[in-house]
Amino acid sequence: MRYLLVEDNLELSEAVVNRLALDGHAVDHAASLAEAEEWLSIASYDLILLDVMLPDGDGRDFLARSRARIETPVIVLTARSQVSDRVGALDQGADDYITKPFDFSELEARCRAVLRRRGGSARNEIDLGEAVFDPLAGTLSHHGTTLELRNREIRLLEVFARHQGQILSKSQLLDQLFSYDAQVTENAIEVYVGRLRRRIDGMGLRIETVRGVGYRIETRAP
């Protein structure tokens, strides 16, 4: 998943980026609303983590303005604990909020919950034909066999799973897996796809190469 973090506290931002990166997520960081606008003009995101008090304005006003043009789910980060503040953020378009200081495990859980709701599911697992993928546990199960995946494999399979039937180009996969400051080329995607393809062999899935276009995941009989 690719996240945009809009937060001017650099120490907190670094901690959040590093924590989410450990789970294999790509996170771009904006320290102001102007920087956030720049990121949104060049990239698409699965989730936005938005601070309220920023150097160049109120994150809630930014959210209210942005809702007319972006549908990306937003979790508001706020130091305000008043009910009216939280209700106001939700009414202005936030999908959830979390009060500072927060525990990273709670932040991760809220991210997962928002993404599940946006995907129309109340469960963590994603059905892939006869296989069941659990991105939280990092497992792929098929006919009694359970495969444990590594972080990058989890995120790559999650991208494919959330775009079943679609062809994804190398650049699209690169955008989903790595932040813009990562020194990674599209050749890395070939490597990761090859590794994942070997790992899930025999699990009822196949990653097809569509020559000159990209990749897509297909279900198949064991």
Side-chain angles (χ1 to χ4, degrees), residues 1-216:
M1 298 289 102
R2 185 170 194 147
Y3 297 170
L4 174 63
L5 171 64
V6 188
E7 168 64 63
D8 64 327
N9 183 314
L10 297 183
E11 183 177 354
L12 175 60
S13 298
E14 183 178 2
V16 171
V17 169
N18 289 339
R19 179 62 179 256
L20 294 174
L22 285 175
D23 287 335
H25 299 293
V27 185
D28 293 317
H29 171 235
S32 67
L33 296 177
E35 288 184 24
E37 290 281 13
E38 291 179 9
W39 281 119
L40 290 169
S41 70
I42 62 175
S44 59
Y45 295 93
D46 298 292
L47 182 65
I48 298 173
L49 303 175
L50 177 64
D51 188 23
V52 170
M53 302 304 294
L54 290 152
D56 53 350
D58 191 314
R60 293 166 300 181
D61 295 335
F62 169 80
L63 174 60
R65 294 194 307 271
S66 301
R67 269 298 174 235
R69 56 188 172 85
I70 61 171
E71 298 182 355
T72 307
V74 175
I75 296 178
V76 168
L77 312 178
T78 176
R80 300 176 177 179
S81 58
Q82 294 294 322
V83 173
S84 59
D85 292 319
R86 301 197 298 269
V87 170
L90 294 171
D91 284 343
Q92 286 172 305
D95 295 86
D96 200 356
Y97 66 86
I98 187 168
T99 304
K100 301 177 185 178
F102 49 79
D103 186 270
F104 286 118
S105 60
E106 181 184 0
L107 176 62
E108 292 169 324
R110 287 185 180 274
C111 291
R112 292 192 297 269
V114 166
L115 290 170
R116 283 200 306 271
R117 291 198 299 270
R118 182 53 62 101
S121 176
R123 54 198 283 261
N124 287 315
E125 296 86 356
I126 302 173
D127 294 323
L128 291 168
E130 296 181 346
V132 177
F133 171 51
D134 186 339
L136 176 57
T139 58
L140 179 66
S141 301
H142 180 253
H143 289 184
T145 299
T146 298
L147 174 67
E148 294 187 359
L149 301 168
R150 304 179 182 91
N151 277 347
R152 193 67 70 186
E153 295 168 346
I154 295 169
R155 297 309 158 212
L156 179 56
L157 183 56
E158 185 174 14
V159 174
F160 280 124
R162 296 191 186 281
H163 297 84
Q164 294 184 53
Q166 298 180 34
I167 301 174
L168 299 174
S169 68
K170 292 179 184 178
S171 62
Q172 287 176 310
L173 293 173
L174 195 66
D175 286 346
Q176 288 288 314
L177 294 175
F178 299 97
S179 59
Y180 268 98
D181 58 0
Q183 301 298 311
V184 182
T185 68
E186 291 186 1
N187 290 336
I189 296 300
E190 296 180 10
V191 173
Y192 285 118
V193 168
R195 289 178 182 173
L196 180 61
R197 183 179 277 146
R198 290 191 293 273
R199 292 273 284 153
I200 66 175
D201 185 45
M203 298 296 287
L205 301 173
R206 182 172 74 93
I207 299 176
E208 178 190 8
T209 298
V210 181
R211 189 174 299 277
V213 183
Y215 306 96
R216 67 182 165 201

